[in-house]
Amino acid sequence: MDRDLWAGLAVFAEIVEAGSFAKAAARMGLSPSALSHAMRTLEAKVGIRLLDRTTRSLAPTDAGENLLRQLRPAMASVEGALGTLDAGRTRPAGRIRINAHRMAAVHVVLPRLAAFAKTCPDVP
């Protein structure tokens, strides 16, 4: 499947669920303009308008509603499959971001990083 198409479908579902571009952008950690661009790209790829949007309202079109009805079970299935993968992990994996005051970082976090890196090599 086209990677951009899949991402656009996820953006579409999030926008409808959130009820606005701004709320969906905040949930996804993206800008509203990035979501707007993703929606324009998705609608161009599928060749049909999926959202009716004005400055004051947002709602899926009939085609968008039909698409969402079919997408929701598929997306839930993918999320379930990914959750099953996570449940099979025996140790932490992924990226960690730490926001701390400089003194806390120097005196609390840094002294523990070497031991943490040895214990959890899958966390870069």
Side-chain angles (χ1 to χ4, degrees):
M1 174 181 241
D2 181 344
R3 182 174 66 202
D4 292 334
L5 185 60
W6 181 253
L9 292 171
V11 165
F12 167 62
E14 188 66 35
I15 291 167
V16 173
E17 184 179 315
S20 77
F21 279 83
K23 288 178 186 173
R27 287 183 185 182
M28 299 180 82
L30 298 169
S31 70
S33 64
L35 296 190
S36 181
H37 176 74
M39 275 308 304
R40 280 192 307 272
T41 301
L42 174 63
E43 289 173 331
K45 282 187 181 230
V46 297
I48 193 164
R49 201 173 80 241
L50 299 171
L51 290 175
D52 280 327
R53 45 196 181 270
T54 67
T55 55
R56 294 182 186 250
S57 69
L58 176 129
T61 62
D62 289 341
E65 194 62 53
N66 289 333
L67 178 61
L68 260 180
R69 194 174 305 112
Q70 294 177 47
L71 276 180
R72 283 186 176 126
M75 291 179 138
S77 177
V78 169
E79 285 179 11
L82 293 173
T84 301
L85 284 177
D86 280 342
R89 292 187 198 280
T90 58
R91 59 185 183 206
R95 184 172 303 273
I96 294 178
R97 174 176 285 180
I98 300 172
N99 293 320
H101 187 275
R102 183 182 172 103
M103 295 299 284
V106 169
H107 295 290
V108 178
V109 177
L110 287 177
R112 292 174 171 83
L113 282 183
F116 181 81
K118 285 181 185 174
T119 306
C120 303
D122 295 333
V123 178

